[in-house]
């Protein structure tokens, strides 16, 4: 049976949902179409700056949900020269590109503009400046200041932890880095502690929170959907972003009365539904390959993780299954009318049949898939430290 969302569930991803509504009301469907495509393919560029090290390699792999032995994983030592830019596509989300950039050079003279031009700094939606050493060099602060002068907010400092490091052992490195950066004029610089092999630990969740605030809503959500499911909290954020995607796609598919979009066939609705729910399955890490990889990295039983999937769509998304979902939602529409009404743009008077059906059907499926993902993450990752 389909589950109708509470009002809090529907509006929880408020920033993204309201941004999409505002785009529709002010600029029509063109920008919403672009936003939907950005979310479906996760068109994002993230750069990781720093010297080559096992810790940086682990970070590059973990951000893509890979282990050292997986196909496409970054290797240490790297086969590429350290001064080159290396791009690592995400195997599940190929338009999410992770860039390995050379370290900010130490010493003088140093021209931050020249370095930033060399590494194509303005191409990236966010930049993480890392160090596996005792502290950051002072030139890193010059790059940060130059980025801010160009209105680039999403630049972060991260000290990388090895397997044997603890938060306590890294505090002297954090303090030394803050002092080095502060000596170059950065007031109270924030330095995150990050363990590449276990991103749910130390300060990486806080780094992500800051990044999601700094990056525009649609890009932040696209990044979120491409990242691995690090924790139950991340699963919840993914679920809410996927619901905002459903709203936008339902608006494009069926339209609302204030927007002159012709009603399209149920076959088109099913095709859109397949794309969204396939994205949800991949984003939540519920496909067989993702679960097997997670089991290898965490030393868990892959068969047990797969058995935690209660929703059939978590295992396989087919057009036939989506058509059945839409048909069931068509019968349930009266019970979800209030939820749909509250989800409409301010200028809309009523929802089309297609909008209502897709909105209810896909939101219910995403709830069920997210519940599966929560069980998997709890079993595989457990608590954080």
């Amino acid at each position: 049976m389909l589950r109708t969302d509470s009002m809090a569930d529907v509006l929880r991803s408020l920033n993204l949902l309201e941004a999409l509504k505002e785009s529709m009301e002010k600029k029509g469907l063109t920008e919403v179409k672009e936003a939907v495509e950005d979310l479906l393919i996760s068109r994002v560029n993230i750069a990781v700056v720093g010297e080559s090290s096992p810790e940086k390699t682990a970070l590059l792999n973990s951000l893509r949900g890979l282990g050292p032995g997986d196909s496409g994983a970054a290797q240490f030592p790297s086969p590429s020269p350290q001064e080159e830019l290396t791009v690592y596509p995400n195997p599940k989300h190929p338009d999410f590109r992770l860039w390995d950039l050379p370290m900010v050079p130490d010493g003088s003279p140093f021209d931050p503009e020249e370095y930033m031009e060399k590494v194509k700094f303005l191409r990236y939606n966010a930049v993480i400046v890392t160090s596996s050493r005792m502290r950051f060099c002072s030139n890193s602060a010059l790059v940060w200041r130059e980025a801010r002068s160009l209105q680039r907010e999403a630049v972060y400092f991260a000290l990388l932890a090895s397997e044997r490091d603890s938060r306590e052992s890294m505090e002297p490195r954090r303090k030394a880095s803050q002092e080095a950066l502060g000596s170059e004029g950065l007031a109270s610089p924030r330095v995150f502690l990050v363990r590449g092999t276990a991103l749910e630990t130390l300060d990486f969740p806080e780094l992500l929170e800051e990044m999601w605030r700094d990056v525009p809503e649609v890009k932040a959500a696209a990044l979120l959907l491409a990242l691995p499911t690090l924790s139950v909290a991340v699963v919840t954020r993914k679920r809410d972003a996927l619901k905002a995607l459903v709203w936008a796609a339902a608006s494009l598919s069926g339209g609302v009365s204030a927007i002159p979009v012709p009603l399209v066939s149920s076959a088109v609705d099913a095709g859109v539904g397949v794309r969204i729910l396939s994205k949800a399955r991949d984003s939540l890490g519920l496909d067989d390959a993702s679960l097997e990889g997670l089991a290898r990295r965490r030393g868990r039983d892959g068969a047990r993780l797969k058995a935690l999937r209660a929703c059939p769509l978590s295992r396989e998304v087919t057009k036939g299954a989506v058509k059945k979902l839409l048909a069931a939602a068509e019968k349930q529409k009266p019970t979800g009318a209030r939820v749909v009404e509250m989800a409409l743009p301010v200028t809309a008077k009523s929802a089309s049949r297609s909008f209502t059906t897709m909105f209810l059907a896909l939101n219910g499926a995403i709830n069920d898939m997210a519940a599966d993902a929560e069980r998997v993450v709890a079993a595989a990752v457990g608590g954080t430290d």
Side-chain angles (χ1 to χ4, degrees), residues 321-339:
V322 173
K323 283 182 177 179
K324 289 181 181 178
L325 198 68
L326 292 170
E330 179 74 18
K331 298 176 182 177
Q332 189 196 353
K333 279 197 305 183
T335 65
R338 175 61 178 163
V339 172

PDB file of all heavy atoms in Angstrom, residues 321-339:
ATOM      1  N   ALA A 321       7.030  -2.120 -13.139  1.00  0.00           N
ATOM      2  CA  ALA A 321       6.805  -1.874 -11.710  1.00  0.00           C
ATOM      3  C   ALA A 321       6.362  -0.439 -11.464  1.00  0.00           C
ATOM      4  O   ALA A 321       5.497  -0.177 -10.614  1.00  0.00           O
ATOM      5  CB  ALA A 321       8.084  -2.178 -10.930  1.00  0.00           C
ATOM      6  N   VAL A 322       6.944   0.499 -12.205  1.00  0.00           N
ATOM      7  CA  VAL A 322       6.579   1.911 -12.034  1.00  0.00           C
ATOM      8  C   VAL A 322       5.156   2.151 -12.522  1.00  0.00           C
ATOM      9  O   VAL A 322       4.391   2.912 -11.909  1.00  0.00           O
ATOM     10  CB  VAL A 322       7.586   2.816 -12.760  1.00  0.00           C
ATOM     11  CG1 VAL A 322       7.126   4.271 -12.723  1.00  0.00           C
ATOM     12  CG2 VAL A 322       8.968   2.700 -12.115  1.00  0.00           C
ATOM     13  N   LYS A 323       4.741   1.509 -13.597  1.00  0.00           N
ATOM     14  CA  LYS A 323       3.359   1.660 -14.074  1.00  0.00           C
ATOM     15  C   LYS A 323       2.362   1.172 -13.022  1.00  0.00           C
ATOM     16  O   LYS A 323       1.313   1.787 -12.801  1.00  0.00           O
ATOM     17  CB  LYS A 323       3.173   0.886 -15.378  1.00  0.00           C
ATOM     18  CG  LYS A 323       3.769   1.576 -16.600  1.00  0.00           C
ATOM     19  CD  LYS A 323       3.494   0.771 -17.864  1.00  0.00           C
ATOM     20  CE  LYS A 323       4.016   1.491 -19.099  1.00  0.00           C
ATOM     21  NZ  LYS A 323       3.769   0.719 -20.345  1.00  0.00           N
ATOM     22  N   LYS A 324       2.679   0.061 -12.369  1.00  0.00           N
ATOM     23  CA  LYS A 324       1.807  -0.437 -11.301  1.00  0.00           C
ATOM     24  C   LYS A 324       1.739   0.552 -10.149  1.00  0.00           C
ATOM     25  O   LYS A 324       0.680   0.768  -9.553  1.00  0.00           O
ATOM     26  CB  LYS A 324       2.312  -1.789 -10.803  1.00  0.00           C
ATOM     27  CG  LYS A 324       2.121  -2.929 -11.797  1.00  0.00           C
ATOM     28  CD  LYS A 324       2.642  -4.246 -11.214  1.00  0.00           C
ATOM     29  CE  LYS A 324       2.481  -5.392 -12.218  1.00  0.00           C
ATOM     30  NZ  LYS A 324       3.023  -6.669 -11.670  1.00  0.00           N
ATOM     31  N   LEU A 325       2.880   1.163  -9.841  1.00  0.00           N
ATOM     32  CA  LEU A 325       2.940   2.162  -8.770  1.00  0.00           C
ATOM     33  C   LEU A 325       2.054   3.359  -9.107  1.00  0.00           C
ATOM     34  O   LEU A 325       1.301   3.858  -8.255  1.00  0.00           O
ATOM     35  CB  LEU A 325       4.399   2.604  -8.600  1.00  0.00           C
ATOM     36  CG  LEU A 325       4.800   3.314  -7.313  1.00  0.00           C
ATOM     37  CD1 LEU A 325       4.718   2.342  -6.141  1.00  0.00           C
ATOM     38  CD2 LEU A 325       6.216   3.843  -7.459  1.00  0.00           C
ATOM     39  N   LEU A 326       2.119   3.823 -10.345  1.00  0.00           N
ATOM     40  CA  LEU A 326       1.310   4.963 -10.772  1.00  0.00           C
ATOM     41  C   LEU A 326      -0.177   4.615 -10.750  1.00  0.00           C
ATOM     42  O   LEU A 326      -1.022   5.433 -10.359  1.00  0.00           O
ATOM     43  CB  LEU A 326       1.730   5.401 -12.170  1.00  0.00           C
ATOM     44  CG  LEU A 326       3.134   6.012 -12.298  1.00  0.00           C
ATOM     45  CD1 LEU A 326       3.516   6.161 -13.764  1.00  0.00           C
ATOM     46  CD2 LEU A 326       3.214   7.353 -11.586  1.00  0.00           C
ATOM     47  N   ALA A 327      -0.514   3.402 -11.154  1.00  0.00           N
ATOM     48  CA  ALA A 327      -1.915   2.975 -11.141  1.00  0.00           C
ATOM     49  C   ALA A 327      -2.465   2.943  -9.716  1.00  0.00           C
ATOM     50  O   ALA A 327      -3.605   3.357  -9.455  1.00  0.00           O
ATOM     51  CB  ALA A 327      -2.054   1.605 -11.794  1.00  0.00           C
ATOM     52  N   ALA A 328      -1.658   2.469  -8.777  1.00  0.00           N
ATOM     53  CA  ALA A 328      -2.091   2.434  -7.378  1.00  0.00           C
ATOM     54  C   ALA A 328      -2.268   3.835  -6.827  1.00  0.00           C
ATOM     55  O   ALA A 328      -3.203   4.116  -6.062  1.00  0.00           O
ATOM     56  CB  ALA A 328      -1.073   1.656  -6.543  1.00  0.00           C
ATOM     57  N   ALA A 329      -1.374   4.754  -7.216  1.00  0.00           N
ATOM     58  CA  ALA A 329      -1.476   6.132  -6.748  1.00  0.00           C
ATOM     59  C   ALA A 329      -2.703   6.824  -7.309  1.00  0.00           C
ATOM     60  O   ALA A 329      -3.311   7.670  -6.645  1.00  0.00           O
ATOM     61  CB  ALA A 329      -0.215   6.907  -7.142  1.00  0.00           C
ATOM     62  N   GLU A 330      -3.095   6.458  -8.516  1.00  0.00           N
ATOM     63  CA  GLU A 330      -4.296   7.031  -9.137  1.00  0.00           C
ATOM     64  C   GLU A 330      -5.531   6.755  -8.277  1.00  0.00           C
ATOM     65  O   GLU A 330      -6.383   7.620  -8.094  1.00  0.00           O
ATOM     66  CB  GLU A 330      -4.480   6.420 -10.532  1.00  0.00           C
ATOM     67  CG  GLU A 330      -5.696   6.917 -11.276  1.00  0.00           C
ATOM     68  CD  GLU A 330      -5.523   8.327 -11.808  1.00  0.00           C
ATOM     69  OE1 GLU A 330      -4.377   8.784 -11.908  1.00  0.00           O
ATOM     70  OE2 GLU A 330      -6.542   8.964 -12.123  1.00  0.00           O
ATOM     71  N   LYS A 331      -5.600   5.570  -7.686  1.00  0.00           N
ATOM     72  CA  LYS A 331      -6.732   5.215  -6.827  1.00  0.00           C
ATOM     73  C   LYS A 331      -6.652   5.903  -5.468  1.00  0.00           C
ATOM     74  O   LYS A 331      -7.654   6.097  -4.804  1.00  0.00           O
ATOM     75  CB  LYS A 331      -6.770   3.697  -6.625  1.00  0.00           C
ATOM     76  CG  LYS A 331      -6.978   2.922  -7.920  1.00  0.00           C
ATOM     77  CD  LYS A 331      -6.904   1.428  -7.671  1.00  0.00           C
ATOM     78  CE  LYS A 331      -7.065   0.638  -8.973  1.00  0.00           C
ATOM     79  NZ  LYS A 331      -6.932  -0.822  -8.756  1.00  0.00           N
ATOM     80  N   GLN A 332      -5.440   6.266  -5.057  1.00  0.00           N
ATOM     81  CA  GLN A 332      -5.242   6.822  -3.722  1.00  0.00           C
ATOM     82  C   GLN A 332      -5.362   8.335  -3.696  1.00  0.00           C
ATOM     83  O   GLN A 332      -5.372   8.943  -2.644  1.00  0.00           O
ATOM     84  CB  GLN A 332      -3.848   6.432  -3.203  1.00  0.00           C
ATOM     85  CG  GLN A 332      -3.616   6.783  -1.738  1.00  0.00           C
ATOM     86  CD  GLN A 332      -2.140   6.758  -1.384  1.00  0.00           C
ATOM     87  OE1 GLN A 332      -1.319   6.366  -2.196  1.00  0.00           O
ATOM     88  NE2 GLN A 332      -1.814   7.184  -0.192  1.00  0.00           N
ATOM     89  N   LYS A 333      -5.511   8.991  -4.834  1.00  0.00           N
ATOM     90  CA  LYS A 333      -5.438  10.448  -4.922  1.00  0.00           C
ATOM     91  C   LYS A 333      -6.277  11.203  -3.886  1.00  0.00           C
ATOM     92  O   LYS A 333      -5.785  12.150  -3.289  1.00  0.00           O
ATOM     93  CB  LYS A 333      -5.811  10.916  -6.322  1.00  0.00           C
ATOM     94  CG  LYS A 333      -4.681  10.820  -7.315  1.00  0.00           C
ATOM     95  CD  LYS A 333      -4.941  11.640  -8.551  1.00  0.00           C
ATOM     96  CE  LYS A 333      -6.251  11.278  -9.197  1.00  0.00           C
ATOM     97  NZ  LYS A 333      -6.474  12.028 -10.449  1.00  0.00           N
ATOM     98  N   PRO A 334      -7.528  10.835  -3.645  1.00  0.00           N
ATOM     99  CA  PRO A 334      -8.302  11.629  -2.687  1.00  0.00           C
ATOM    100  C   PRO A 334      -7.667  11.725  -1.310  1.00  0.00           C
ATOM    101  O   PRO A 334      -7.733  12.764  -0.666  1.00  0.00           O
ATOM    102  CB  PRO A 334      -9.647  10.884  -2.632  1.00  0.00           C
ATOM    103  CG  PRO A 334      -9.745  10.208  -3.962  1.00  0.00           C
ATOM    104  CD  PRO A 334      -8.342   9.800  -4.290  1.00  0.00           C
ATOM    105  N   THR A 335      -7.020  10.652  -0.838  1.00  0.00           N
ATOM    106  CA  THR A 335      -6.417  10.683   0.489  1.00  0.00           C
ATOM    107  C   THR A 335      -5.183  11.553   0.532  1.00  0.00           C
ATOM    108  O   THR A 335      -4.763  11.982   1.596  1.00  0.00           O
ATOM    109  CB  THR A 335      -6.042   9.260   0.944  1.00  0.00           C
ATOM    110  OG1 THR A 335      -5.019   8.760   0.064  1.00  0.00           O
ATOM    111  CG2 THR A 335      -7.225   8.337   0.903  1.00  0.00           C
ATOM    112  N   GLY A 336      -4.583  11.829  -0.629  1.00  0.00           N
ATOM    113  CA  GLY A 336      -3.377  12.657  -0.648  1.00  0.00           C
ATOM    114  C   GLY A 336      -3.614  14.048  -1.172  1.00  0.00           C
ATOM    115  O   GLY A 336      -2.662  14.794  -1.409  1.00  0.00           O
ATOM    116  N   ALA A 337      -4.877  14.447  -1.333  1.00  0.00           N
ATOM    117  CA  ALA A 337      -5.166  15.730  -1.975  1.00  0.00           C
ATOM    118  C   ALA A 337      -4.587  16.907  -1.205  1.00  0.00           C
ATOM    119  O   ALA A 337      -4.065  17.861  -1.795  1.00  0.00           O
ATOM    120  CB  ALA A 337      -6.682  15.880  -2.120  1.00  0.00           C
ATOM    121  N   ARG A 338      -4.680  16.878   0.119  1.00  0.00           N
ATOM    122  CA  ARG A 338      -4.187  18.002   0.919  1.00  0.00           C
ATOM    123  C   ARG A 338      -2.678  18.155   0.779  1.00  0.00           C
ATOM    124  O   ARG A 338      -2.157  19.255   0.657  1.00  0.00           O
ATOM    125  CB  ARG A 338      -4.566  17.794   2.387  1.00  0.00           C
ATOM    126  CG  ARG A 338      -4.019  18.840   3.347  1.00  0.00           C
ATOM    127  CD  ARG A 338      -4.529  20.218   3.022  1.00  0.00           C
ATOM    128  NE  ARG A 338      -4.029  21.207   3.969  1.00  0.00           N
ATOM    129  CZ  ARG A 338      -4.038  22.518   3.760  1.00  0.00           C
ATOM    130  NH1 ARG A 338      -4.521  23.002   2.628  1.00  0.00           N
ATOM    131  NH2 ARG A 338      -3.577  23.345   4.659  1.00  0.00           N
ATOM    132  N   VAL A 339      -1.963  17.045   0.790  1.00  0.00           N
ATOM    133  CA  VAL A 339      -0.517  17.081   0.631  1.00  0.00           C
ATOM    134  C   VAL A 339      -0.144  17.684  -0.714  1.00  0.00           C
ATOM    135  O   VAL A 339       0.736  18.533  -0.820  1.00  0.00           O
ATOM    136  CB  VAL A 339       0.081  15.664   0.766  1.00  0.00           C
ATOM    137  CG1 VAL A 339       1.559  15.674   0.414  1.00  0.00           C
ATOM    138  CG2 VAL A 339      -0.121  15.146   2.179  1.00  0.00           C
TER     139      VAL A 339
END
